[in-house]
Amino acid sequence: MKFNVLTLFPEMFSALDESIIGRGKEKGLIDINLINIRDFSKDKHKKVDDTPYGGGAGMVMEPTVVYDAFKSIQDENAKVIYLSPQGKTLNQQIVQNLAKEESITLLCGHYEGIDQRVIDEIVDEEISIGDYVLTGGELPAMVLIDSVSRYVKGVLKEDSVQEESFTNGLLEYPQYTRPEIFLDKKVPEVLLSGHHENINKWRRHQALINTYLKRPDLLKEIELSKEDKKILSDYKNFKEGGSK
Ligand code: 4GO
């Protein structure tokens, strides 16, 4: 998978040299092509921004330098994404769809943003990572690269992506590792039993209750089996009984 990144701060992306994504890059599974927009400034001081027409605070990135940087990429098939609070909010479904692309170009704005004319000209899709404002699109671009790269074959261990939270529409079950007793708390007995059917049942139960307690909105989006519904209704009855 190829990512082209148009940014004024390419050094920020060194965060992606660490850990799992870093290993994916070393293995050649993920290719991150950083383009410094400033390199395309024709100004003698390498200026890339100017005051907004109509007045107001801050600076706006000039369209010409952004366009020239974009034109230098020469990746016809890449989907072009602008990271912005105005975009569609990123979720696991969007991540999975983006992972089907062969190449993605990420445009990172800074200051008050980018001249609208170049956005209209080159951007296919606007994406936001949540309803808050940041000083630049670099962190959202890294969030997108990380989340999408996890779906590139070979980046994660085979099963990890299937088993996890959101892929089945539920939150995760709790995880435990050694020691067996920590601060007087024991690991749930069933996990030590080696009985895989019981372990899977227990995990499904935990995932359902976890989702009911923390993100009940997610339960409305998925299809529950008869067994799932029984687990939830038993839990709800138990809770009501307990509070009286
Ligand atoms: C993206 C970009 C927030 C997001 C941004 C987000 N803030 N929620 N700021 O994904 C143009 C100039 C946008 C700064 C950028």
Side-chain angles (χ1 to χ4, degrees):
M1 174 119 217
K2 169 99 175 267
F3 296 98
N4 305 296
V5 184
L6 293 159
T7 172
L8 289 172
F9 301 97
E11 293 85 3
M12 286 179 74
F13 290 81
S14 62
L16 301 173
D17 292 338
E18 298 291 333
S19 186
I20 298 171
I21 305 302
R23 219 137 46 228
K25 284 177 67 180
E26 280 168 15
K27 287 201 234 167
L29 302 169
I30 308 161
D31 179 10
I32 301 176
N33 174 28
L34 299 169
I35 301 106
N36 190 340
I37 294 171
R38 196 174 298 279
D39 291 345
F40 295 83
S41 172
K42 295 201 173 81
D43 178 86
K44 63 174 182 282
H45 301 109
K46 295 275 162 206
K47 191 172 75 81
V48 292
D49 56 356
D50 208 335
T51 53
Y53 277 118
M59 299 294 269
V60 177
M61 286 169 70
E62 297 165 14
T64 311
V65 63
V66 172
Y67 190 65
D68 289 348
F70 170 74
K71 279 295 185 191
S72 78
I73 299 172
Q74 304 254 328
D75 189 350
E76 310 296 321
N77 296 323
K79 167 167 252 178
V80 181
I81 295 173
Y82 179 46
L83 290 309
S84 142
Q86 299 181 23
K88 244 198 285 170
T89 310
L90 192 65
N91 61 33
Q92 205 65 29
Q93 189 56 57
I94 296 175
V95 168
Q96 282 182 18
N97 288 337
L98 289 176
K100 296 174 194 156
E101 300 286 333
E102 132 195 349
S103 188
I104 294 175
T105 295
L106 299 167
L107 175 58
C108 305
H110 231 88
Y111 316 115
E112 295 310 306
I114 304 178
D115 185 292
Q116 189 61 40
R117 292 165 295 179
V118 70
I119 296 172
D120 293 343
E121 181 67 25
I122 69 175
V123 171
D124 296 313
E125 206 174 327
E126 276 185 64
I127 288 183
S128 163
I129 62 162
D131 288 338
Y132 40 84
V133 178
L134 300 164
T135 57
E138 284 78 10
L139 289 168
M142 284 188 259
V143 166
L144 189 149
I145 291 170
D146 186 291
S147 60
V148 171
S149 295
R150 295 176 67 263
Y151 284 94
V152 174
K153 206 167 159 52
V155 169
L156 294 186
K157 282 213 221 78
E158 202 60 54
D159 300 340
S160 320
V161 137
Q162 266 73 50
E163 280 179 24
E164 78 193 343
S165 169
F166 285 114
T167 307
N168 62 13
L170 296 175
L171 300 183
E172 292 235 37
Y173 48 79
Q175 301 276 15
Y176 301 89
T177 187
R178 275 176 283 276
E180 210 176 298
I181 300 169
F182 169 70
L183 302 179
D184 281 344
K185 295 173 208 275
K186 217 175 161 304
V187 170
E189 202 64 47
V190 64
L191 299 178
L192 310 175
S193 70
H195 192 304
H196 291 294
E197 195 188 320
N198 285 350
I199 290 171
N200 286 339
K201 273 192 193 156
W202 181 86
R203 285 180 165 169
R204 181 79 188 175
H205 185 110
Q206 294 293 315
L208 282 163
I209 303 303
N210 227 0
T211 309
Y212 170 70
L213 291 175
K214 295 180 180 170
R215 290 291 305 277
D217 56 303
L218 295 177
L219 288 175
K220 294 186 198 95
E221 307 298 323
I222 58 165
E223 249 193 85
L224 298 170
S225 72
K226 248 169 110 177
E227 291 77 25
D228 290 340
K229 286 178 186 158
K230 173 141 172 41
I231 288 166
L232 286 169
S233 71
D234 284 354
Y235 181 79
K236 292 178 203 176
N237 287 336
F238 170 78
K239 261 213 327 189
E240 278 163 26
S243 64
K244 271 177 201 160

